[in-house]
Amino acid sequence: MQRFEAVYEIESPRGIAHAAEVLAGEQSTGTFVRLALETDALRDRSGARIEAVEITGTSGVPALPSRSRGEVYERGRVTISWPEENTGPSLPNLMATVAGNLFELADISALRLTGLTLPEGFALANPGPRFGAEGTHRLAGVEGPLIGTIIKPSVGLSADETAALVGTLAGAGIDFIKDDELQANGRYCPLAQRVDAVMRVLNDHADRTGKKVMYAFNITDEIEAMWRHAEMLEKAGATCAMVSVIPVGLSGLRALRDRCALPIHGHRAGWGLFSRSPHIGIAFPVWQKLWRLAGADHLHVNGIANKFTEPDEVVAEAARAVQAPVCTGGPAHGAMPVFSSGQTVWQMAPSRRVLGNDDFIFCAGGGIMSHPGGPAAGVIALRQAADAAREGVEITEAARAQPELAAALTAFKRPEILL
Amino acid sequence: MQRFEAVYEIESPRGIAHAAEVLAGEQSTGTFVRLALETDALRDRSGARIEAVEITGTSGVPALPSRSRGEVYERGRVTISWPEENTGPSLPNLMATVAGNLFELADISALRLTGLTLPEGFALANPGPRFGAEGTHRLAGVEGPLIGTIIKPSVGLSADETAALVGTLAGAGIDFIKDDELQANGRYCPLAQRVDAVMRVLNDHADRTGKKVMYAFNITDEIEAMWRHAEMLEKAGATCAMVSVIPVGLSGLRALRDRCALPIHGHRAGWGLFSRSPHIGIAFPVWQKLWRLAGADHLHVNGIANKFTEPDEVVAEAARAVQAPVCTGGPAHGAMPVFSSGQTVWQMAPSRRVLGNDDFIFCAGGGIMSHPGGPAAGVIALRQAADAAREGVEITEAARAQPELAAALTAFKRPEILL
C-alpha cells in the first residue's frame, strides 16, 4: 500500500513524542477519547503512522500562545505517514490532511510543515503543468532564461498606456512581460481592452521580427470567468495566463488547467503568510508541489538578494524545488521558477548557478528600465549576463568586451549575496 | 467612488507612518522607485490611500525575522483604502490586494489583517449563501439550534458502518451529522457508497418520523467532481454538502455555490495557520466575509471552551461575525456559525448568549455519545439546555425537572468559560 509522508517541525509542552501521537491521531482515526468503533484493524488500515521522531532542543517559553502549558517546551521533527487510500490522489483532500486542523492543536506550541513525500499515484492522477520549461521556451522562442519584466505602475495605466509600454519593451528585445498581480479586470483597464491593445502590439511585433513576446495576462477570477478569459487570450494569440493561486485555490487552479491552452503563470501573492514566521507555516518546497500537480507552469520564488525578507538560501531552495520531480515516481511535472524583486545583472549568475540550467524566468524592473543606455541596453545586458553565466565566465570579465553589461555593472549596485 | 478598506496591526523598524506608506504604495500604484508613468492623476485615481495611522507601542526586538533592522520597532494600527474600481467586486482579486504580497515586506516585522470594510457592490455582485440560517432551519425542520455531531472515527469506517452509526444517531433524535473533514472519497468509504448507504437510512427515517436529518457529506475535491457530487447528493435526497474551503479556494467555493442546490457547510481546516500567531495572519471576522460572499451557508468557528487554542472571546467574536452583515449595504448574506470541539450541555447557554438567537449549529461528540443514558438522552439533554438558554433559565435550575439534562451536568465536567 502506498503512503504519503509529511515532516513537521514542532514544539510541545508535552514532549515531541506525545505531540506526534496527538497529531497522527487527530489527523486520522483518533478522537480525544478512543471510541469503540476505532478497532485495531481500522487503525492499521486507515490510521496515520509515526515514522520518525527527532528531538532537536528545548525552550523555556512557548513559541506561540498555547492552551497547554509546561515547564519545558520540547522542539523536534516528526514524520507522519498516511495511506494514500484515505484520500486517493485528490489534492484538496491531501491538503486538508497534511495542512488541516493541526496548526491549532493545544499540545503543539509551534508547527511548520517542512517536508512532503508523495507516491507516484499523485503524479499520475493529476495533470501537472501542460507546458513547463520546455513548452515555455518553445512558445517564447528563447533558449536561455526568459528575460522578463512586470508592468509598473501595478495599477492605474489604461489599456492603451499599457500597450505603449509593451511596445517599448518589445522593441527593447524582451522575452516576457507580465501584469502585476494587482492588475485585475477593473474599470480603468478592463482585461478585454488590455488584451486587445497589448496583443495588437505583440502580434505586430511578431509579424515584423518573428519574435512573439510572451505576455502573462492576469486572469485571476471566478472559474467561469477564468475559462472565458483563457479562451479570449488564446483567440487573441496570447501565450500565457497568469493567476494568483492562493485566492483561486487548488481546485480553482486545476479547473483552469483543464481548460487553458496556454502556460499558467502561478503568482504566489499572499505567500508571506505561510513563510514569514519561523513558528507556523509551510515550507515552499512542500507548498509548490501541490500547485504544480494542479497545473502551474511557472511559479514565483522571489529573487536572490531580493527586497523582501527571504534569505538567499531559502530562495535557492525554492527555485530548485520547482524543478525537482514532484513525486517519488511518475512524471516529474517540473515547472519553471520565476525570479523577481530588485533583480539586476548582478543576480543572473547566482540564479543560474542555483539551478545549473536556463529553465527559469528572470524578471527585472529598474534593472531594465533604469539602464543608462535605455531599456534595450538593459535587456541586452541581462542576456550578456546570462550568456556569461552559461559559459562560466565571470561577469566582470564578460563585461570587458560588452559595453551594455559594463554599463549595467556600473549603474546598478552590487548586492550582497549570501550563497 | 466606492472604496474598500482594510485595517492592519503592524510592527516596523522604520515607524508605523513609513510602513503605512510602503504598504499602500506596494499594494497599488507604487514601486520601489517612483516611475515617470506614476503621475499624480494616476495615483489619485487608482492609488491606495492611508486613512488612519495609530501608534500603540514599541518593542526592542522584531516580532518576526526581518531584513530591515532598527533600534526600536514601532507597533500600531493602520487603515488603508482602495478604489473598488481597481478590482471590481471580484473576491479573488480583492484577496490578492488586501492579503497579497504584503506579509513579506522588509520594512514590516509583523502584520495581521484585522479589519475589512466592503462597500455594497461586493454584496450585490457576489451570491452569498443560498440558504443561510433560515433555509437551513427549514430544511432540517428545526426551530432551535441544530444539535449535531461528527462521524468518528474520522476515517476508516466503511459506508455500511457509517450508515449504521447514522441510524443510531437519527434514532437518538439528532438534527445534523457531518463527515469529518478527513473523510474524503477514498477506497474504503467511497462517497457514492456512503451517500447511498447513509441516505437510505435517513430517507427511511424521514418516511417513518417526518424528520429529515441533515447530513453534510464532504465533497471537497476538484470542481467538476464537486459539481457531479452535489448533483448526486441532491438526487439522493441529501440536504447538505460540506467542503474544506481553503483547499478549494475562493473561486472553487463560488463555482460550487453556483451549481449546488444544497446548503454548503464550510469547514475551515487549516485555519490555525492564519490565526495561531499574534504576529502574522488574518482575523476570522475578516476572513469569513470572503467565504460568505463566495457562498458558504455554514462556517466553523470552533467552540466555547474548546480543546484547541483559541480563547473564548475569539470564538465569540467569530460566531457573531458570521451572522453580521457582510458589507456596508446590500444583502446581509448572513451565515450560520458552527460550534464544535469538546462541546457539552455546559457550553450551550454561553454559545446562545454570544449570539442572542438560535441560528447556529452545535456539534458535540462525546457530549452526546458518552451521556450515561445513551445517545438519545444525550441529544435530549442538549435540547433541554438550548430550551433553557432561550427561556433564560439557569441550566442547573432547568435540570431539576429534566433528568437527561441533570445526568449530563453530572457526567460532563463543567469547563472554565472566560466570557
Side-chain angles (χ1 to χ4, degrees), chain A residues 35-96:
Chain A
L35 302 172
L37 288 168
E38 192 187 344
T39 61
D40 288 344
L42 182 145
R43 281 163 70 110
D44 283 350
R45 193 181 67 198
S46 305
R49 200 160 69 199
I50 301 168
E51 302 287 350
V53 172
E54 184 190 350
I55 296 159
T56 58
T58 59
S59 167
V61 292
L64 296 172
S66 188
R67 190 181 291 261
S68 182
R69 295 297 170 92
E71 294 285 299
V72 171
Y73 296 80
E74 200 171 64
R75 292 183 171 172
R77 198 173 289 117
V78 304
T79 306
I80 313 267
S81 74
W82 289 261
E84 187 188 338
E85 286 161 344
N86 280 19
T87 56
S90 162
L91 297 178
N93 288 298
L94 171 69
M95 189 191 257

Side-chain angles (χ1 to χ4, degrees), chain B residues 152-178:
Chain B
K152 299 278 176 181
S154 310
V155 289
L157 295 179
S158 68
D160 287 340
E161 287 167 332
T162 305
L165 181 54
V166 165
T168 303
L169 291 161
I174 206 157
D175 303 320
F176 177 88
I177 309 172
K178 65 179 279 294

Side-chain angles (χ1 to χ4, degrees), chain A residues 145 348-350 352-353 356-358 383-399 402 405:
Chain A
M348 182 62 85
R352 192 187 190 281
R353 196 182 317 122
N357 59 54
D358 285 331
R383 229 183 281 286
Q384 290 166 340
D387 291 344
R390 187 182 315 107
E391 291 153 15
V393 178
E394 269 296 320
I395 194 164
T396 45
E397 187 64 32
Q402 306 192 98
L405 184 54

Side-chain angles (χ1 to χ4, degrees), chain B residues 116-149:
Chain B
L116 180 66
T117 307
L118 299 172
E120 67 172 1
F122 286 88
L124 294 171
N126 290 285
R130 193 188 291 273
F131 290 86
E134 185 277 327
T136 298
H137 276 297
R138 182 167 32 81
L139 277 179
V142 178
E143 290 188 358
L146 271 64
I147 311 292
T149 197

Side-chain angles (χ1 to χ4, degrees), chain B residues 30 52 54-55 71 75 124 145 150 164 176 185 217 220 225 246 256 273 284-286 295 310 312 316 328 335 372 389:
Chain B
E54 185 191 349
I55 295 159
E71 294 284 298
R75 293 182 171 173
L124 294 171
I150 303 168
F176 177 88
N185 189 9
F217 290 96
T220 303
I246 296 173
L256 175 62
L273 180 47
F284 188 81
V286 171
E310 285 182 329
D312 292 341
T328 53

Side-chain angles (χ1 to χ4, degrees), chain A residues 27-28 45 65 67 85 93 103 108 152 154 156 182 187 220-221 224 247 250-251 259 276 308 310, chain B residues 27-28 31 45 65 67 85 93 103 108 154 156 182 187 220-221 224 247 250-251 259 276 308 310:
Chain A
Q27 288 308 102
S28 65
R45 193 181 67 198
R67 190 181 291 261
E85 286 161 344
N93 288 298
F103 297 99
I108 290 179
K152 299 279 175 179
S154 310
L182 296 166
R187 175 166 162 195
T220 303
D221 213 327
E224 307 266 5
L250 277 174
S251 308
R259 302 201 196 173
R276 187 77 184 267
F308 290 101
E310 285 181 329
Chain B
Q27 288 309 103
S28 66
T31 53
R45 192 180 70 198
R67 191 181 290 262
E85 287 161 345
N93 288 297
F103 296 100
I108 290 179
S154 310
L182 296 167
R187 176 166 162 193
T220 303
D221 213 328
E224 307 267 5
L250 277 173
S251 309
R259 302 202 195 171
R276 186 75 184 266
F308 290 102
E310 285 182 329

